[in-house]
Amino acid sequence: RRLTTALPAHRRPLRVCLAAMAAFGAYTAGWAAAVRLRGRPLPERPEPRDVLLTSVATFRLSRLISKASVTSPLRAPFTTYVGPQGPAELHEEARPETGRDTVGELMTCPFCMSVWVASTLTAGQLLWPRATRAVMGTRVAASVRRAGRQDHRQRTADHRSYVKLLLQTRAK
């Protein structure tokens, strides 16, 4: 019996998905072993500032890895370029070859990538807290800068629309 989904239009090789899950399990087990070997104690509970920092850094890094044009060479073996998808972002699709499609889906999906990034950042905080927080801080700073830039663009567009509407109203 072949291990695939039942929907004929969306047949997917579940063995490849199981392999991806096993790879993630091995990845996190490797980090856990590294933390244990280094003798790092696990915190009683995460600090709220670390949770916030990790959340924003995970969002930004996941987006950088899965969508940014500058990281497209990392995704190229597993994806096909479709076109631009916003400022400095690309729309790419997973290559249909067996095995590569699963990796391609992971590499083009910020949500999927976020699980791997969050695990890596969490392990980094346990093994190299200062360096990891420095890296996360740069991603958060870039997010704040980007949000400010988008807010400025939106205000400029809103202002232009308002002026255009005002001029049209006066012309009548």
Side-chain angles (χ1 to χ4, degrees), residues 24 62 66 105-117:
F24 181 75
S62 299
S66 63
E105 287 177 26
L106 169 69
M107 296 293 289
T108 59
C109 171
F111 177 75
C112 305
M113 183 58 66
S114 69
V115 176
W116 292 76
V117 171

Side-chain angles (χ1 to χ4, degrees), residues 36-130:
R36 176 172 246 156
L37 286 172
R38 296 268 316 256
R40 297 285 189 172
L42 293 176
E44 190 69 29
R45 68 178 69 90
E47 293 290 326
R49 65 184 163 92
D50 286 337
V51 172
L52 181 61
L53 189 62
T54 304
S55 299
V56 175
T58 296
F59 173 78
R60 290 307 313 149
L61 282 169
S62 299
R63 196 111 194 130
L64 177 71
I65 294 167
S66 63
K67 294 292 181 185
S69 56
V70 71
T71 55
S72 63
L74 301 174
R75 298 184 304 272
F78 310 101
T79 62
T80 302
Y81 175 77
V82 176
Q85 183 182 331
E89 290 191 350
L90 302 177
H91 175 68
E92 296 168 323
E93 292 180 354
R95 289 193 181 184
E97 297 108 32
T98 304
R100 287 188 177 213
D101 59 339
T102 302
V103 176
E105 287 177 26
L106 169 69
M107 296 293 289
T108 59
C109 171
F111 177 75
C112 305
M113 183 58 66
S114 69
V115 176
W116 292 76
V117 171
S119 297
T120 303
L121 292 176
T122 300
Q125 287 180 68
L126 294 171
L127 294 169
W128 309 284
R130 292 170 113 188

